[in-house]
Amino acid sequence: MNFQFDHDSRQRLGYKLIDLINEYYDSLPDRRVQLPLDERTFGQLRDLMPEVGEDASAVLDDMAHELINKGFHVPAANYFGLMNPTPTYMAVLAEAFVAAINPQLASLARSQLASKIEAETVRWIGERIWGRGGNPDKPQFDGTFTSGGNEANFSALAMALAAKFPDSVEDGFANTNARPVLYSSAESHHSLDKSAGLLGIGRKALRRIAVNAHLQLDPAALDAQIKADLAAGFMPFAVVGTAGTTNSGVIDDLNALAEICERHGLWFHVDGAYGAAAAFSDSHHELVAGIERADSVTIDPHKWLAMPFAAGVVLTKNAAMLQTTFGVSTPYMPKITDATIIDNFKVSAQWSRRMNSLKLWLTLRVHGRQAYEELIDQQLKLARQFAAWIKQSNDFELVLDPQLTIVNFRVKGVPEAEIASANAAIVDEVTRDGHRWISQTVAGGKNVIRMMIISYLTSEKQLLELQSALTAAVNTISATTRH
């Protein structure tokens, strides 16, 4: 048996899948996020590899039934979890089309239009950060799509190292006395630790700087640490500001960090995997004021821009550093003379790569930037509305006024030694039936309950239901404790 289906079979299977997806999307406003606690299992599948195939239609039905009825549903409107959204439907269609035509974005010669679409999408994002400039055909910035924020941050720090230590790309650091160090806040993402290790400078080279009362990187503490490291013979090369921390959605004072970088001659990277999307809003662009002073920026469209996995982007206003850092030459890659777009394998940590840009490009073509303007405005309002409810609650207290769409709160009136257990009990009770999902984390050294508005399907209805569930959880736990 070969892999080929005839025309009618392809059509029948395709329609079946579209119908399954369509019904799934219909269910998302009220769908439970996961199975009730007593029905969840986490063991491995033990089936042997099939030797012969089964009926394709039956397999599709079985697969959909299992994943939909037993899966964890990040796209659900009642998912108040991590930074994973409900994907736009145009993005879903784009993903299917990309899988079908399977463009190889490593080289321009084998993906002429696909590469142009990616370059245009990168330009659209970059223009929201650095503006259009005098010549839109030759923007001063450039970038590439990545698998996500981890790879984007890694790529940005690789460029920062190459900019500060030009010989390191070819020679490395093994035979030098260089002691590179970089800086980020205590609340910044763990991908920075990974990147420091993978870049060969060691995870200890990342200096995590204390945060202020607003959980922002403390500029004074940063400046003092840079001076101390210089005096000790270390070689600072980069500062990472965060636009939207994972725990709390906090945005560092980007202008203050930019000034420190300019004073010390350091590369300024903004990890805006989540919050840089605010640049898509005219009304709320000031939330990321100073991002235009960054040398590089990470943004993950699969977070606040409602894209499915995987979609990260790294951009830099020092466009030449992309090729300096990642450029290689090979005899077997097809070459094009007089091309105005650089082959992607020369500006990316990846080699073979799928077209992760089409979903955002297609969504913007169909819905336009103003759809994101409305999304960002609505979700900020919902987050502030929920925070206002917490402030008035007899049972909970707000830990931090939200800057973006993450709200940190905790059980009120509980000794600090017991707060983690109290918060965990609330989270467990709220998520027990599987209908909705919130989580627990540590922000600024405090154990907190974390909720996030991330689905474009989430409305006041889901917020009111969550509020009722939180109140009911307090009452249930109190009754259990009394007995």
Side-chain angles (χ1 to χ4, degrees):
M1 177 182 178
N2 62 31
F3 297 109
Q4 180 72 9
F5 288 109
D6 61 35
H7 174 90
D8 290 343
S9 296
R10 289 195 304 268
Q11 187 175 65
R12 184 170 62 253
L13 292 170
Y15 285 169
K16 174 182 279 292
L17 181 59
I18 286 294
D19 285 343
L20 288 166
I21 294 171
N22 197 33
E23 291 171 6
Y24 177 67
Y25 265 59
D26 282 342
S27 76
L28 290 176
D30 297 305
R31 174 171 287 282
R32 68 171 68 245
V33 176
Q34 60 182 328
L35 291 171
L37 180 60
D38 58 359
E39 298 178 31
R40 297 171 204 163
T41 58
F42 300 96
Q44 296 182 13
L45 298 178
R46 297 294 185 183
D47 293 342
L48 297 176
M49 182 189 296
E51 289 295 322
V52 295
E54 304 171 54
D55 176 74
S57 181
V59 170
L60 270 181
D61 275 333
D62 181 59
M63 173 274 297
H65 180 273
E66 291 292 297
L67 282 174
I68 291 175
N69 292 332
K70 298 181 182 178
F72 188 101
H73 298 291
V74 164
N78 284 302
Y79 176 72
F80 298 98
L82 304 180
M83 299 166 175
N84 315 133
T86 305
T88 70
Y89 190 67
M90 293 310 301
V92 173
L93 297 180
E95 289 289 78
F97 190 68
V98 165
I101 63 174
N102 204 27
Q104 162 58 292
L105 259 72
S107 69
L108 179 63
R110 291 182 292 167
S111 60
Q112 297 95 323
L113 183 55
S115 290
K116 291 178 183 178
I117 287 173
E118 168 149 330
E120 181 168 74
T121 312
V122 167
R123 176 172 59 79
W124 288 349
I125 299 170
E127 286 174 349
R128 295 302 302 178
I129 296 171
W130 289 294
R132 293 189 177 181
N135 186 353
D137 292 330
K138 290 185 178 181
Q140 295 303 303
F141 56 83
D142 201 357
T144 182
F145 271 72
T146 67
S147 58
N150 199 328
E151 183 193 340
N153 283 338
F154 173 85
S155 300
L157 295 182
M159 287 189 285
L161 267 178
K164 184 73 172 182
F165 306 98
D167 295 333
S168 66
V169 176
E170 296 295 333
D171 299 333
F173 292 100
N175 297 317
T176 71
N177 293 319
R179 301 166 72 191
V181 290
L182 70 155
Y183 308 86
S184 70
S185 89
E187 295 289 311
S188 63
H189 196 260
H190 67 267
S191 61
L192 302 176
D193 300 273
K194 280 190 177 183
S195 295
L198 292 170
L199 287 167
I201 60 175
R203 294 185 180 186
K204 291 182 180 179
L206 175 62
R207 309 292 205 234
R208 287 191 171 271
I209 306 301
V211 295
N212 59 24
H214 303 291
L215 304 192
Q216 298 169 307
L217 193 159
D218 186 334
L222 170 65
D223 196 54
Q225 184 63 55
I226 292 171
K227 290 175 180 176
D229 282 336
L230 287 169
F234 291 98
M235 303 181 72
F237 71 95
V239 172
V240 180
T242 303
T245 58
T246 302
N247 288 324
S248 308
V250 167
I251 301 171
D252 289 333
D253 185 340
L254 302 181
N255 275 312
L257 302 187
E259 289 171 9
I260 291 172
C261 288
E262 290 165 7
R263 187 160 64 247
H264 290 285
L266 307 181
W267 183 283
F268 181 34
H269 174 61
V270 172
D271 178 5
Y274 162 39
F280 274 60
S281 167
D282 288 341
S283 301
H284 301 289
H285 199 293
E286 77 281 356
L287 287 169
V288 289
I291 195 171
E292 72 283 354
R293 299 172 71 176
D295 293 290
S296 56
V297 174
T298 285
I299 182 171
D300 274 6
H302 67 222
K303 289 187 170 65
W304 210 5
L305 295 179
M307 294 292 104
F309 299 114
V313 181
V314 61
L315 305 106
T316 176
K317 66 182 180 183
N318 301 313
M321 288 309 303
L322 278 164
Q323 197 164 359
T324 297
T325 306
F326 301 109
V328 291
S329 60
T330 65
Y332 60 84
M333 295 296 279
K335 297 175 177 61
I336 297 178
T337 57
D338 301 323
T340 58
I341 299 175
I342 301 171
D343 287 328
N344 197 267
F345 78 91
K346 295 180 179 179
V347 295
S348 170
Q350 296 185 48
W351 196 268
S352 299
R353 185 169 63 74
R354 77 191 304 275
M355 187 184 183
N356 284 334
S357 57
L358 185 64
K359 48 197 166 191
L360 181 57
W361 184 86
L362 195 62
T363 297
L364 284 166
R365 285 285 309 274
V366 171
H367 298 287
R369 184 202 60 82
Q370 288 189 6
Y372 285 115
E373 182 88 36
E374 295 170 9
L375 171 75
I376 290 166
D377 185 67
Q378 175 65 12
Q379 293 191 333
L380 287 170
K381 287 178 179 176
L382 288 173
R384 290 164 187 168
Q385 178 181 324
F386 185 81
W389 178 81
I390 292 291
K391 285 182 178 180
Q392 297 172 359
S393 171
N394 294 323
D395 303 312
F396 301 101
E397 61 184 6
L398 191 68
V399 175
L400 191 73
D401 284 319
Q403 279 188 284
L404 297 177
T405 65
I406 297 173
V407 182
N408 290 161
F409 60 103
R410 56 184 2 201
V411 179
K412 183 182 286 186
V414 175
E416 196 65 31
E418 301 172 18
I419 193 67
S421 296
N423 288 339
I426 294 294
V427 171
D428 289 347
E429 188 62 32
V430 168
T431 60
R432 184 178 303 278
D433 65 0
H435 192 72
R436 57 189 57 82
W437 200 84
I438 57 175
S439 59
Q440 188 178 14
T441 190
V442 175
K446 294 182 178 181
N447 189 282
V448 300
I449 299 171
R450 179 190 182 280
M451 71 82 70
M452 179 180 191
I453 312 291
I454 190 61
S455 170
Y456 58 79
L457 299 174
T458 301
S459 66
E460 288 188 21
K461 173 181 180 292
Q462 285 80 22
L463 280 192
L464 290 172
E465 291 171 350
L466 174 59
Q467 291 163 12
S468 295
L470 286 164
T471 301
V474 171
N475 294 334
T476 299
I477 293 168
S478 297
T480 302
T481 303
R482 285 195 300 268
H483 290 88

